[in-house]
Amino acid sequence: MEVWIDKRLSIESAVQTFEGADRMLLSTSTDSNTDFFCDGNRLMRSSQLVGSLVILDGEASQDYARSVVGSVEWLVLEFSDWSMIPIENLLAACEGTPTKIAAVLSTPEQAQGAGFALQRGVEALVV
């Protein structure tokens, strides 16, 4: 499982590295081959589209997330109100596809649920 550092709302202009982190999730473009940035709901690495950022706030957003499964490398899930059900539904939808899930967490307790959902968990935790 990867650990990403969410630097989208950081007021620091310099991109720092963090011991043990696999990637950074940034708000602006970078030339990094490992870090990602968000362009609207598009997840980018350098100038390459690698995924989608979906804010789960209801059935429509969950349907949208399901619709991109299989066509993107990463699906980053952010929650307006944390719930395990969307993670479990989307993990099941991703089964057998190349799409990996990263869950944006706001509390330490959420890591346990996301990390072990459906006995396999998400591929990345964004903290």
Side-chain angles (χ1 to χ4, degrees), residues 86-95 101 114 117-118 120-123:
I87 289 178
E88 291 171 341
N89 290 344
L90 290 165
L91 277 170
C94 289
E95 194 70 36
I101 293 180
L118 298 182
R120 76 174 186 96
V122 297
E123 285 79 15

Side-chain angles (χ1 to χ4, degrees), residues 43-110:
L43 186 68
M44 310 290 291
R45 179 177 43 225
S46 296
S47 62
Q48 181 182 26
L49 176 67
V50 293
S52 184
L53 170 73
V54 180
I55 299 172
L56 293 172
D57 58 4
E59 194 64 34
S61 57
Q62 198 174 150
D63 288 343
Y64 171 75
R66 255 192 303 276
S67 76
V68 300
V69 167
S71 62
V72 295
E73 179 183 353
W74 284 98
L75 186 56
V76 178
L77 304 177
E78 195 163 6
F79 303 87
S80 60
D81 185 27
W82 174 262
S83 173
M84 283 296 299
I85 294 170
I87 289 178
E88 291 171 341
N89 290 344
L90 290 165
L91 277 170
C94 289
E95 194 70 36
T97 75
T99 301
K100 299 177 269 189
I101 293 180
V104 179
L105 309 178
S106 56
T107 68
E109 294 79 21
Q110 294 169 352

Side-chain angles (χ1 to χ4, degrees), residues 3 5 16-22 24:
V3 175
I5 303 297
Q16 301 170 297
T17 58
F18 288 84
E19 187 72 31
D22 296 290
M24 299 279 208

